[in-house]
Structure formats: C-alpha cells, structure tokens
Amino acid sequence: MDYKDYENLINKLLEQKSKTNDEKEKEAIDNEVKRMMMFAGENLTAWDRVYIARHKDRPKAYDYIKKLFPDFIELHGDRYFGDDNAIVTGLATFHDMPVTIIAQAKGKTTEENIIRNFGMANPEGYRKAIRIAKQAEKFNRPIITFVDTSGAYPGKGAEERGQAEAIAECLFEFSTLKTVVICVVIGEGGSGGALALSIGDKIIMLENAIYSILSPEGFASILWKDETRAKEASERMKLTSFDLKNLGIVDEIIKEPLGGAQYDFEDLIKRLDRSIYNSISELEKVRMNTLINRRYEKYRKIGAYE
Amino acid sequence: MDYKDYENLINKLLEQKSKTNDEKEKEAIDNEVKRMMMFAGENLTAWDRVYIARHKDRPKAYDYIKKLFPDFIELHGDRYFGDDNAIVTGLATFHDMPVTIIAQAKGKTTEENIIRNFGMANPEGYRKAIRIAKQAEKFNRPIITFVDTSGAYPGKGAEERGQAEAIAECLFEFSTLKTVVICVVIGEGGSGGALALSIGDKIIMLENAIYSILSPEGFASILWKDETRAKEASERMKLTSFDLKNLGIVDEIIKEPLGGAQYDFEDLIKRLDRSIYNSISELEKVRMNTLINRRYEKYRKIGAYE
Amino acid sequence: MQDLFNKRKAKIDSFNKSRKKKEFVPKEIPEYMFRNCPHCNFSISYREWIDELYVCSRCGYHLRISANERIRQICDRDTYYEIDAKVTTVNEHDFEGYDEKLDIAQRSTGLSEAVVCGVGRINGIKAVVCAMDSNFMMGSMGGVVGEKITKSIEYATSRRLPIIIATASGGARMQEGIISLMQMAKTSAALKRHSDKGLLYMTLITDPTTGGVSASYAMLGDIIIAEPNALIGFAGKRVIEKTVNETLPPQFQRSEFMLEKGFIDLIVERRDLKSTITKLLILHGVK
Amino acid sequence: MQDLFNKRKAKIDSFNKSRKKKEFVPKEIPEYMFRNCPHCNFSISYREWIDELYVCSRCGYHLRISANERIRQICDRDTYYEIDAKVTTVNEHDFEGYDEKLDIAQRSTGLSEAVVCGVGRINGIKAVVCAMDSNFMMGSMGGVVGEKITKSIEYATSRRLPIIIATASGGARMQEGIISLMQMAKTSAALKRHSDKGLLYMTLITDPTTGGVSASYAMLGDIIIAEPNALIGFAGKRVIEKTVNETLPPQFQRSEFMLEKGFIDLIVERRDLKSTITKLLILHGVK
Ligand SMILES: [Zn+2]
Ligand SMILES: [Zn+2]
C-alpha cells in the first residue's frame, strides 16, 4: 500500500469523524488516524516520497519565504526579455543580515500554477537568477536558493531563447560566485532545471524532497518506453534525501514532521532557519578563495574515477 | 543648387555623352563634368553631406570589411535572443594582428536592406556587440567599430526587448573595456543607436560622413513640427566631420575623393588602413589604466561647464 | 555675452538664496483650492494632494511632481544640500530661440536646469540624490544636466556613497545637438566607475522617461524602481506606430508592461517610496 | 567485482594498443562498396565517403562520424595522443542491464567510453581536443564522460592550452542517474576556471547535441561552431510537441535555426573545419 492510499483512508476516516457525534467513535478514529500516520510515515518508500514531494498541500517556496524572510522585497526581470514568475528573486534580512533569495516557485492553486508555469522556468528565469546572483556577489550578500521544479520548461519559446544556454550559464557562473551560496531542496528537484539553482557551498534537503536526473515517469519512459513504470523507476533512481546524502551530493537533511512538511510547518521552519543560519555563519568565516575551491571540489569529486 | 542637383546634371551629361559619337562633344562633356564635380565637391553644404553620407552607392560596412580585412570571419548571435543582421561582428587579422570588428551594416540593395533592417539595430544587435567586445577584451584584441546607422530601430519588439537598456549597456561596458577601441564613422551616425558603437579611444570620421543627435528630418520635426525643414536643420546641427572635429568629438578626418568615398575607394581604403594602423600602434603602447582614464576624460570633458 | 552669463548667474544665486526659506512650501499648490485628478477627474483639494504626495486618493494616479517635491518626499527634512548647484551654461548657445526657452523654463520652475543634484539623508542614511524635473523643458538632457549628473556620480564615487537618480525626461535637449547626445556616454561612463567600486546605484523612473535618458543612466541602476504607470521607453509611441504601422496598446511602455518585459525591478507607489528606498539601502549594506 | 574491473581494463588496454596500428583505417568503412546518402539517397562509394570526409558529394549532408574520425579530420597526422584514456568506471553500477549495454557499446565502437580526449596539433598549433561519439550509447554523458572531459579541461588550464570539444550526445546517461546529472556542474565549473585564466574554449556542435551536454559544456564555448543541420537543443522534439501541442517545423533546433536565434557563432562545413579552427586559434592569439 502506498502512502497515497493511507492518505485516502485517513481522509475518509476524517470525513466519517466529521459526520458522527459519538465521542467514542471520534476518539477511536483519532487513534486510528494517528496509528496509520505513524505506520505510513515511518515506512515511506521512494515512490511515497515522490508523492509527498509533489503534494499540492506541501509548502512551496513562497511559504518558506514568508516565514523565513518576512521583509522580503521581490526584484523582477532578467533585463533581456522578461520576468519569469517560475523563479522568484529578491532581497531580505535574515538574522539582521542582508541576503539574496532565488527560489523556484510552484503555485498552490491552479490559478497560481498557471501564472508560475507550474514552477517550470524559461530561460529568462535562469537569466534573472544569474543577474540577481551577480548583484549578491557585488554587494557581498549570501544567497539562499530554494529548489522545487519538475524541470526546466520544455516549451518551444524556451528552446528558441536558449534554455540550454541559460542553464549552462547558471552552472558556469555560480561555480565561482564570490559569495556564500546555500541551496535548499524543498520539493521536487528535477533535471538540469533544478541543478541550475543547486550550485552552492551547502546543499540542504528536506527529508521528503526528491532530487533526480529527471522525473520517474520520464526515466521509465526513456529507459523502458513505459511511463507507467514510474514507481519502479523511483525505487532505483536514488532520488531520496537519504540516497543523495549517501552519494555526497546533499550535505544535510532536515527532518520533516510525519506526513510531510505541511503537518508542522512552524517547527520545520524553526529547524530550517537554524540550519541556514548556522551554515552561513560557518561559511562566512571561510576565506573566499578557499570557499570557491571547496565548492569546486564538491562537484569535482562526484563521479570521479581512477 | 544642392550637390544632388549637380549629380543629376552630371548624370544627364554622361547620358548625353553615351549617345554621341562626336569626339569633340565627348571631350567637352568630360570637361564640363569635371568642372562641375570640382565646383560641387568643393562647396559642399551640410545638407549635401547628408545626401552623400546616405548615398546608395556609398560604400557600406561590408565594403570596408572586404577591403581592410580579407580574412574576416563573421561571428553571430547575442546568446540571448537572436542574431541581428544590422550589426555585423567578427574577427580578422589586420597587419598580422588579430582584431575584432563590430560594424553597423546597411545594405546596398533593397533586398539586402530588408535583411539588414536598413542598418537599424534591434537590442540583440547591441547585445551581440557587447558579447563580442568582451571577448575582444578577454583575448586582448583591438576593436574596430564601423558606425553607419540612421538610428536604433524604433520597432515594437525593439522596445519590448529593451532597446534603451541595450544601448545604455553598450555605453556602460565600452567605457572601461580593457582593450584599444577605434571607431570609424563611415556614413550616417544617428542618435543613441550610433553612439552605442562610438565609445572608443580614437574616433575617425570620413570627411562626408555625418554624426548627429538624430536625423535632420527628425530634428526639424521635433523642434519646428515640420519635417520638410530638414535642410535648414542640417545646417544648424553641426553634423559634419569638420564641426565634430571642432567640438573635440572626432579625432581625425579622412579626406574623401571628390563626390564621395565611392569615387576612389581604393585610395580611401589605403588612407583609412594607415590611419587605423597608426592609431592602434600608438594606442597599444599606452598603459591600460592610462588608456581607460583617457577614454573617460575624452567623454567627460564634452559639455563640461564651470 | 559675459553680461548674459552674469545676469543668469545672479538670477540663479538669488533663487538659490530664496529657496532656502521656501523649501517646505510645495510649489505645486495650484491657484484654485481644488484640482481635478487628470485620470479619474475626481475633485481633490490641494491640501489633500499635498498630504497624499500628489497621488489621487481615489484612483491612485501619480501626478508628475517637481524635482524639489521629489527630494522632499525622499530625503529627511533639512538634510538635503545641493552640490554644484551653480553649474550652468558658460557657452553661448547659438541655437535660435534656445536662450529664451531656457529663460522661460528657469522662471517658471525656479530651477536653473532640468535636474537638482545633491546629498541628503534618507531615514538617516546618507546618499547622493538627483531628481529631474519634467517641467523644465520636458526634463530634456543637455550639457548642464549631463554635467550635473556626472558630477554627482563622481561625488558619490569618491565618497563611497550610494546614488539615487529620479528620472523624468523626454530625452535629449535638441537645441544642444551632439553635445546633448554625448551626455549619454559621459553619465554612463561615470556610473561604470561608480559600479566598479562596488557602490549602489538606484534609479527611480518616473513619468515620462524616454529617449537619451532612458538609454543611459535610467536603465543602468543596480536596482530600477518605477512609479506606477510611468512611461518608459527609447522611441516615442508615435514614431513606433509609424514604423510598425499598428496602434500600440495603452499599457505599452508603461511601468507594469516594462516590469513584465524584465526591465524594472519593482514598481513602488509613492507613499511607500521612502521606506522602500530605505530598506533597499540597508539591504545593500549602506548604513 | 574487482575481476570485472580488471577484465574491462585489460580489454581497453589491448584496444588502446591495437588502435595505434589501425589509426588511419577509418572504421566507418561499410561492408559494401557503396553506401547511399541517408538524405538524398545518392549512391556513393565508400572511397568517396572517406575522401569527402563523410559528406554527401551531391547534397552536402554531413554523416555522423566517430570520435576517432573526428580527431583525424581535425588534428595533424600522428600528433594526437590520448590523456587519461584509461579512466573507466571502478564502481559497480547496480543498474540492471547497464553493464551489458556498456559492454556492447565498447565492443561495437572499440571505445572505452562515449568520448575520446587528448592533445594534438592542428596545423601545428597545440590544443586539447575531445570528441564525443554518438555510436557509444547515443553519446550519453555518465560519470566517466564527465570525468574525462573535466580532466581534459583541467589539463588545458594547467598547461594554458586551448580546448576544443566536439559534442555529440543524446544527453545524460540515465543509468547513472544523479551522478550523470552532476557531470553538468562539474564540467561547467572546470570550464569557468579555464575561462578565468583567459584561455580559449571552442565547441564544435555536431548532430545530435541535446539534453545535459547541450545545457553544459556545449553552450559555454567562447566560440560555438556547429556543423550544418546538426540538432541542438535542451528538450527533445517530442517532449516539446507534447508540451505545446503543436507540430514543430523540421528546421527547429537545427544549426541554421539556432544561429538565427543567436546561439551559434558560425556554421562550418566539414571540409572547411580544420582551416577554420586553425584561423580561429590564431585569431585568439594561440600559437
Ligand atoms: Zn484619480
Ligand atoms: Zn546526399
């Protein structure tokens, strides 16, 4: 049984509860829900995490921004072609320190998702990210990125305006950006579109976030010509936070409440806040050259063979 | 009588000559033509020069490139949006030295002008110029620009893609470009669209080229609400090479053959080649900091008041 | 010639002296007690216009305001002083009718030129602040405007100060011809030096900002703020319409449109302007 | 495990030894004496294919060629030597069927991986030259490809050499998952260091160059050359068509199209490739 099935069951139970007046039944339902949450939440498969990472109720970048950076000022535009709403950039103070935020912003409602193109950026989104990152470098502001996208937008205009070039330029520029860069994978981290905003000195990943070369559906479709084998693919793709920590790609995992980030967002935010703060404090002590060299080595050693 | 009227007369005389077999008449016509050329060519008004600068037979950037840089390799694209045919960029060897060429390229035929948008660049043209200029800086290549445009293209797309920003960025970046920049005004130098490629260490101007804040027609239309007073405007605009030399904006004038560059292009090229070569040789000896400071002072002092 | 110069200088001097006293009497006060909103036609008392910073309390329309009013709205009271206020044309402009036009502009605005440049404090933070005035020959940029802007930028560079320029300009000062065009190069070059020192430059684009000013310092801000519905563009609407042979939508080249097109960082209403600028200064490490 | 590794190593060693002798016998020679042009169907003798550098003498169609043939066409005879040729996977890939696929690719191409990296001379000018081979698992980039490319870039950086990479890739090596994705970051970072030293990087984009290779080193050249009609893009055509729900024109994502869109510096026919690269090297001050 997948986590999704438990969720359905729980929802049904909760509906049942809302219809009854019998206090005993209510209590029984509560206990059952708790038990199921515990059981399901503690035995999550990779596929369950894919489901949770994409959950519509899962907090999105804007939720994190609102909580972590209440004085956030959004800055728009790439100064070439447009302002991409799939990537949100801006400035804020964080523990009395100016910081730059670059976030892949999925929406929570259909309307918002249409505006945000379901979090799939066009080249102008990546170019905005580079522009804002270079300003962070100029003004010595740490950068915090939030990664949450199924991938870069595979649209016609995106290709015409150089999706490949824009992503490559992100990888190129962030690799030597002379300021501390913290990346937080909060939901889906899919393909080059996610990688473009994942070049940093510290990669933090939420427990139930996923990060992979492409979606399990795409993976199954390419390798097995069968999109429906996505579940099977997810189990082999090493896309969970634990897999990525083992591979040395992720530096720190932030534990989530049972069922996912939305179940106790305040607590999660508190721990994430501390983690980001500690990371910046620690990294700001490192000499800039050392920082850039370490960043290089971090990526350099992945897939290094004798 | 304008130069244009003399030109018409001369053309009529030449037609007459082609129809006669009388050697004496032919000789008489030749003498008359010569006399008229001399008279007209030596008494050019500003308006005559506007006519000559825009003449369809006047050599265009490609003519200069072919003669001065026979091994020219064209490089395309701004790496953001498109390749603008109104600005041609590339590399060549010039007296055994690698150089970068950035040229506003009007066409000579209607077909070519349609491709080249009559030499009126879009933002991607200016962004290509910046990209190519920064590469010249990286690889220590002198840059030679050719200026010949009635202005930046006032199109809808041009505005949407930031014509103002693209021109501003040219002015900004060229002002501290760490390589020698030579600008050659070969035809029309109109408004910010021409200025964008005129930021350099030495400004060379062909005798009959013009350079102005906008076209005489536009000038008359804005100031007097009467486009037909363009001729009158041209006389007041100080747009000839001599005016600009007096104002300290142009550093050197290259004399043209009677009637304009096309009447003895080989000779003109020889002198232009020497002038560019001498300028580069001289400027390459200057320390980079001094060069950049001098470039700054060159523009700094224009319109400086106590 | 020298006479003319002395006359103008005297006039400006006396104006500068007089201005100190008048500083907090906004000169936008109309002759009548009420002035209708040019957008929604709502009748608003001038007291309210002043209190609302010349923004229509009904429809939010932002009236064009003078350079001095702009500075009043941005800078802390009694902190602003002009730098190089006396820069003015020493050359005779031989363009027919130009002297008269200048004279009328100077009399009607009380300014010597289309820009006011100086240093002030914004919620205590020191910054160079320049404001253009579209009432002065449409805020056109001639040699003096270019020179004053450049001097202000250089002042900021040498003292490591941030600079904020509020733009309002129809473009180049035609009467000064090529000299005017060259101001684009001069101001941009000065900004490059300022930027290379790691200093902050913010533009506040107000209605209208077109032509040579848009294609130079207006578009070079690290941060580009625009007022709502301000016209921002290089070419004029009529020229474009003639070129492309179509009618442009009303929102074309307006702040909101240009934000969508990627050229404006943020649009800020006038009532939030000072606090936003303050926050941005702090976020750029300016103290 | 170690056995498997030794076995593969031995195989590659023996291949490397054997290759020296075979270097000038192009392996594209087909079994039959004639091979039709896949584009115009013209029947061409294999001698002519070889002489014409695998370009159809009738329609100009550029056949896909192997990495070794590419190197032969670019580098001077007997000047090319591989660097880190023996880099190969030491980890067991636990992805089902991957080892077999690798084995088949290795046998059929005679290569250890989808890229050949080394140093050679181009009309006497020393340069690092890497060539990808689309016959090897569609030129997909896994850890070994990323590592070899990165080592080559680092080699070029430390010796102040220019580097030329001929790309041909369907994208990431799916079987290696996230390791494959990370090669985009690794190669791009290495190129940034190379570039920061003022050194020249040229890409030669050949058919097809898509996915992760296009979104990393393929698009980062100081100069980006493409072969005629090469497919260049990030997303696959079918994915795009599904996304936008329209049929794309045949020229979409082709070299000529991408040049128009501003992403390709120049398109060079194969017969002019070596001379053009030589000229470009000289024009960048490489001797
Ligand atoms: Zn109103
Ligand atoms: Zn063929």
Side-chain angles (χ1 to χ4, degrees), chain A residues 25-294:
Chain A
E25 195 184 340
K26 278 188 182 176
E27 205 187 311
I29 288 174
D30 278 346
N31 284 333
E32 178 61 12
V33 164
K34 214 174 188 173
R35 201 191 56 78
M36 282 173 72
M37 285 276 287
M38 290 281 280
F39 182 78
E42 282 170 0
N43 295 281
L44 294 177
T45 62
W47 183 239
D48 289 336
R49 296 196 202 268
V50 171
Y51 175 73
I52 292 172
R54 293 171 173 173
H55 202 288
K56 70 173 175 43
D57 295 337
R58 187 171 179 81
K60 302 293 184 288
Y62 253 118
D63 299 306
Y64 290 92
I65 290 172
K66 257 183 247 155
K67 289 284 179 191
L68 292 167
F69 318 104
D71 69 348
F72 178 72
I73 296 184
E74 184 169 355
L75 302 176
H76 296 268
D78 66 346
R79 303 247 177 119
Y80 296 116
F81 181 83
D83 182 47
D84 189 340
N85 287 313
I87 293 185
V88 168
T89 61
L91 308 177
T93 44
F94 179 67
H95 295 263
D96 291 329
M97 158 178 61
V99 293
T100 289
I101 318 295
I102 301 173
Q104 287 171 328
K106 284 187 184 178
K108 288 188 118 165
T109 62
T110 306
E111 292 80 11
E112 208 196 331
N113 262 323
I114 287 166
I115 292 168
R116 306 216 168 275
N117 201 29
F118 296 83
M120 291 181 287
N122 274 288
E124 42 276 19
Y126 295 108
R127 294 189 181 124
K128 173 165 72 172
I130 293 169
R131 177 176 83 84
I132 296 294
K134 294 215 144 222
Q135 289 211 358
E137 182 181 50
K138 176 177 172 185
F139 295 103
N140 302 310
R141 282 188 298 257
I143 297 173
I144 301 153
T145 75
F146 292 90
V147 178
D148 190 11
T149 185
S150 59
Y153 186 58
K156 193 181 165 195
E159 289 293 320
E160 290 172 342
R161 296 193 299 278
Q163 192 70 283
E165 195 274 348
I167 292 171
E169 209 57 44
C170 271
L171 306 176
F172 191 73
E173 292 296 342
F174 274 84
S175 75
T176 57
L177 211 61
K178 285 172 201 63
T179 195
V180 169
V181 182
I182 311 286
C183 309
V184 188
V185 186
I186 56 171
E188 239 183 322
S191 96
L195 181 68
L197 296 191
S198 315
I199 309 300
D201 304 300
K202 174 131 186 199
I203 317 296
I204 297 168
M205 189 163 173
L206 299 196
E207 183 186 0
N208 295 320
I210 58 168
Y211 197 93
S212 56
I213 189 161
L214 81 175
S215 68
E217 291 80 2
F219 190 88
S221 147
I222 285 182
L223 271 183
W224 304 317
K225 320 273 171 234
D226 185 358
E227 223 176 276
T228 62
R229 287 170 70 185
K231 182 178 171 179
E232 184 187 342
S234 71
E235 301 301 334
R236 294 162 168 247
M237 285 174 73
K238 297 189 175 154
L239 47 64
T240 73
S241 57
F242 302 103
D243 293 328
L244 288 153
K245 183 104 189 320
N246 282 340
L247 287 165
I249 290 166
V250 159
D251 301 300
E252 186 182 339
I253 297 172
I254 303 284
K255 223 182 131 39
E256 292 188 30
L258 265 186
Q262 65 269 36
Y263 285 91
D264 192 350
F265 192 47
E266 291 294 336
D267 179 60
L268 177 73
I269 283 292
K270 229 179 273 167
R271 284 177 292 113
L272 182 57
D273 179 290
R274 203 178 316 131
S275 164
I276 295 172
Y277 178 70
N278 290 343
S279 303
I280 294 176
S281 309
E282 189 186 301
L283 290 164
E284 290 235 296
K285 287 181 206 133
V286 181
R287 275 188 50 236
M288 194 46 71
N289 270 353
T290 312
L291 191 80
I292 304 299
N293 283 337
R294 275 197 209 160

Side-chain angles (χ1 to χ4, degrees), chain C residues 37-42 44 49 56-61:
Chain C
C37 168
H39 186 248
C40 73
N41 212 28
F42 190 54
I44 296 170
W49 276 120
C56 173
S57 51
R58 190 202 210 182
C59 76
Y61 183 81

Side-chain angles (χ1 to χ4, degrees), chain B residues 56-306:
Chain B
K56 70 173 176 41
D57 294 336
R58 189 173 176 82
K60 304 293 185 286
Y62 253 117
D63 298 306
Y64 291 92
I65 291 172
K66 257 183 249 157
K67 289 284 180 189
L68 293 166
F69 318 104
D71 68 348
F72 178 71
I73 296 183
E74 183 168 355
L75 302 176
H76 295 268
D78 66 347
R79 304 247 177 119
Y80 296 116
F81 182 82
D83 181 48
D84 189 341
N85 287 312
I87 292 183
V88 168
T89 61
L91 309 177
T93 44
F94 179 67
H95 295 262
D96 291 328
M97 159 179 63
V99 294
T100 289
I101 318 294
I102 301 174
Q104 288 171 327
K106 286 188 183 176
K108 287 187 117 169
T109 62
T110 308
E111 294 79 13
E112 208 197 330
N113 262 323
I114 286 165
I115 293 168
R116 306 217 167 273
N117 201 29
F118 296 83
M120 292 182 287
N122 274 288
E124 41 278 18
Y126 295 108
R127 292 186 183 128
K128 173 166 71 169
I130 293 169
R131 177 176 83 82
I132 295 293
K134 295 213 147 224
Q135 290 211 357
E137 183 181 50
K138 178 176 171 187
F139 295 102
N140 302 310
R141 280 187 298 258
I143 297 172
I144 302 154
T145 74
F146 291 90
V147 178
D148 189 12
T149 185
S150 59
Y153 186 59
K156 193 181 166 194
E159 288 293 320
E160 290 173 343
R161 297 193 300 277
Q163 190 70 284
E165 195 273 347
I167 292 171
E169 209 57 44
C170 272
L171 305 176
F172 191 72
E173 292 297 342
F174 274 86
S175 76
T176 58
L177 211 61
K178 286 174 201 62
T179 195
V180 169
V181 182
I182 312 285
C183 309
V184 188
V185 186
I186 56 170
E188 243 184 320
S191 97
L195 182 67
L197 296 192
S198 316
I199 310 299
D201 304 300
K202 172 128 186 203
I203 316 297
I204 297 168
M205 188 164 174
L206 299 196
E207 183 187 358
N208 294 320
I210 58 169
Y211 197 94
S212 56
I213 189 161
L214 82 173
S215 68
E217 292 80 3
F219 191 88
S221 147
I222 287 182
L223 271 185
W224 304 319
K225 318 271 171 241
D226 184 357
E227 223 177 277
T228 62
R229 287 170 70 186
K231 182 177 171 178
E232 185 186 342
S234 71
E235 301 301 334
R236 294 163 169 247
M237 285 173 74
K238 296 185 176 160
L239 47 64
T240 72
S241 56
F242 302 102
D243 294 328
L244 290 152
K245 182 105 191 319
N246 281 341
L247 287 165
I249 289 165
V250 159
D251 300 301
E252 186 183 337
I253 297 172
I254 303 284
K255 222 180 134 40
E256 292 188 31
L258 265 187
Q262 65 270 36
Y263 285 91
D264 191 351
F265 193 47
E266 291 295 336
D267 180 61
L268 178 73
I269 284 291
K270 229 178 274 169
R271 284 177 291 114
L272 181 58
D273 180 289
R274 201 178 317 134
S275 164
I276 296 173
Y277 177 70
N278 289 343
S279 303
I280 294 178
S281 307
E282 188 188 301
L283 291 163
E284 290 236 296
K285 288 182 205 134
V286 181
R287 278 189 47 237
M288 194 48 70
N289 270 352
T290 312
L291 191 79
I292 304 299
N293 283 338
R294 274 197 211 160
R295 195 186 301 159
Y296 185 77
E297 288 308 325
K298 178 179 172 57
Y299 296 90
R300 179 68 189 84
K301 68 172 194 276
I302 300 171
Y305 301 98
E306 289 307 310

